[in-house]
Amino acid sequence: MHARTEKKQIQLTRASGACWRIAFDNPPLNVMGPQFVREFREIVSAIEADEHLKVVIFESAVDGFFLNHSDFHADFKELTSMPQGPTGLEAWPDALVRLTRAPVVSIALIRGRATGNGSELALACDMSFASREKAVLSQWEVGVGLVAGGGPMARLPGLMGRQRALEVLLSSNDIGGDLAEAYGYVNRSLPDCELGGFVDALATRIASFDKWAIANTKRLVNAASLPPDVEIAAGWEACMASIPRPAAQDRLKTFFALGFHQPGDAEDRLGSFLERLGQGA
């Protein structure tokens, strides 16, 4: 178990009273451990409580990684021992569900890899925009014998249809920005040089509108489109059950030997490395 760092892993900047920017800042790989989850829950609570806030933008302060997979060096008991949130779900899925229901607009600005947790966060946001050159989305879990825990099985079919959802989940492959747009995984992919300006202009435009109208429009769209919490809970339970399985632990051990969890090819081209695991490479 690693000692807990005092450095914040999530940076919150109040660009204005109506618009916040939230940057994930856990270099070098932007992995998600218990400290990140605690900080994220606090930010979601702040988002829910601020009566003037209308738009939040999630982005990365770490080059190459929007938000990555879980920290496999961390003690998972520290994560699973966190109290359930107001939804009755465990800490991570609770925070995602609350973000989706919060009376503000959440936007994911994706540069770099959105692997596992990063993809789940993007799916929980109200809109997501990806760099055409730099964004990579991935639900990689099946490739190492795991089940995703933050709700993609409940959310993806509604966004892109059952067959494409199964392709994303079961291939565990890397999905670039243009294909993500074509599948409905993200709203749009844009040239990287245009991405920041586009998101800033959209956020500023929405933040100029009336919060009551924003919140109630989102509430009604949520009622027509969100999966029930029981589906999110089932995914988390399957995820937790998958982690100690010998098949998953064997694949993770092989993946670590190939360079997983450290800067380099295995993290940069994660999808292409997964097919080696079943070959004992």
Side-chain angles (χ1 to χ4, degrees):
M1 175 179 171
H2 283 189
R4 186 176 302 168
T5 175
E6 295 297 324
K7 178 182 177 295
K8 287 279 189 180
Q9 296 181 356
I10 306 176
Q11 307 297 334
L12 191 161
T13 301
R14 290 172 171 80
S16 71
C19 182
W20 294 358
R21 302 188 78 96
I22 296 163
F24 306 130
D25 188 14
N26 187 26
L29 298 174
N30 248 353
V31 295
M32 188 191 87
Q35 180 185 337
F36 181 99
V37 175
R38 283 192 293 270
E39 291 181 21
F40 191 77
R41 288 191 352 160
E42 292 173 1
I43 284 177
V44 171
S45 295
I47 290 170
E48 293 171 325
D50 194 296
E51 61 182 14
H52 301 294
L53 181 63
K54 301 175 187 174
V55 182
V56 291
I57 300 170
F58 292 97
E59 57 193 340
S60 174
V62 177
D63 188 41
F65 296 91
F66 170 71
L67 176 62
N68 209 341
H69 52 72
S70 295
D71 183 352
F72 286 85
H73 294 308
D75 184 352
F76 270 81
K77 290 181 181 177
E78 191 178 348
L79 176 64
T80 57
S81 64
M82 291 182 191
Q84 294 176 331
T87 64
L89 297 168
E90 302 300 324
W92 176 239
D94 169 77
L96 295 178
V97 166
R98 288 164 57 201
L99 176 66
T100 305
R101 292 177 180 161
V104 306
V105 177
S106 53
I107 300 175
L109 191 166
I110 305 171
R111 283 193 173 97
R113 295 196 62 95
T115 305
N117 302 305
S119 168
E120 292 166 359
L121 184 279
L123 292 171
C125 284
D126 301 317
M127 306 174 199
S128 55
F129 300 94
S131 166
R132 186 166 293 163
E133 299 92 341
K134 298 180 179 179
V136 179
L137 291 94
S138 164
Q139 291 293 164
W140 68 297
E141 291 86 353
V142 169
V144 285
L146 301 175
V147 175
M153 291 82 76
R155 297 185 191 276
L156 279 171
L159 285 177
M160 60 179 67
R162 177 177 179 274
Q163 292 179 325
R164 285 176 169 170
L166 286 171
E167 179 188 341
V168 169
L169 291 161
L170 299 183
S171 77
S172 297
N173 222 337
D174 294 343
I175 307 292
D178 284 346
L179 183 59
E181 177 186 300
Y183 273 20
Y185 206 157
V186 299
N187 287 59
R188 303 189 197 185
S189 66
L190 295 106
D192 191 71
C193 62
E194 299 176 11
L195 179 63
F198 176 87
V199 170
D200 287 351
L202 178 63
T204 300
R205 177 180 173 84
I206 294 172
S208 73
F209 298 154
D210 177 67
K211 178 161 182 172
W212 188 93
I214 292 170
N216 278 282
T217 298
K218 176 175 171 177
R219 177 177 61 82
L220 293 167
V221 171
N222 282 351
S225 60
L226 290 184
D229 288 359
V230 65
E231 294 184 16
I232 304 290
W236 180 260
E237 291 168 4
C239 175
M240 291 299 105
S242 71
I243 293 172
R245 295 174 59 248
Q249 291 299 314
D250 287 347
R251 284 176 180 264
L252 284 168
K253 182 179 179 181
T254 302
F255 205 5
F256 271 104
L258 291 171
F260 175 58
H261 229 296
Q262 55 186 296
D265 275 356
E267 286 286 349
D268 294 340
R269 300 187 296 113
L270 191 146
S272 67
F273 272 68
L274 293 176
E275 59 194 68
R276 304 185 192 183
L277 305 185
Q279 301 167 2

